[in-house]
Amino acid sequence: MPPRLTAMPPRLASPAPRIGPAQGDARAQDRERDRVKPWRAWYRTARWRKLRRKILARAGHVCEQTGVPLLGRAPAPDSAVIDHIRPHRGDPALFWDEDNLQAVSKAWHDGAKQRAERAAGD
């Protein structure tokens, strides 16, 4: 009787389980951040929108760090970002403090500000 053919064992290991949202799934990443940091909901309130307009008007729609006119619409580099000078880390007093807010360009906020915060360990 001739030998029987048998299935070859797989040569590749099964992929490691994925933890968290898939790369590039911005909505899922936002939902996860919201779950971990519930204060992020404050950015979606009418109170924040009103305060944001007030800070932009106070700055004359000009970046307080670079002097660039804040004319763009997100995600443009010259779009307006209202930045917390001192990180609030969920502290409502710091979050809503007008003296702790500045109008800056998205380019400055996403570049120089983020580098400084990472260097400081914030």
Side-chain angles (χ1 to χ4, degrees), residues 1 3 7 14 17 20 41 54 59 65 77 79 84 100 102 105 109 120:
M1 179 178 247
S14 59
K54 184 176 183 177
Q65 293 296 320
S79 61
H84 290 88
N100 189 39
Q102 63 182 342
S105 69
H109 181 268

Side-chain angles (χ1 to χ4, degrees), residues 45-86:
T45 64
R47 180 181 178 189
W48 173 254
R49 286 189 297 274
K50 183 179 177 184
L51 182 57
R52 183 180 190 282
R53 285 190 302 269
K54 184 176 183 177
I55 301 304
L56 274 171
R58 180 184 76 189
H61 292 267
V62 173
C63 177
E64 295 181 54
Q65 293 296 320
T66 64
V68 170
L70 301 174
L71 303 173
R73 189 172 190 157
D78 64 344
S79 61
V81 173
I82 303 305
D83 174 56
H84 290 88
I85 300 164
R86 289 181 44 217

Side-chain angles (χ1 to χ4, degrees), residues 7-14:
M8 291 189 60
R11 291 181 174 218
L12 299 174
S14 59

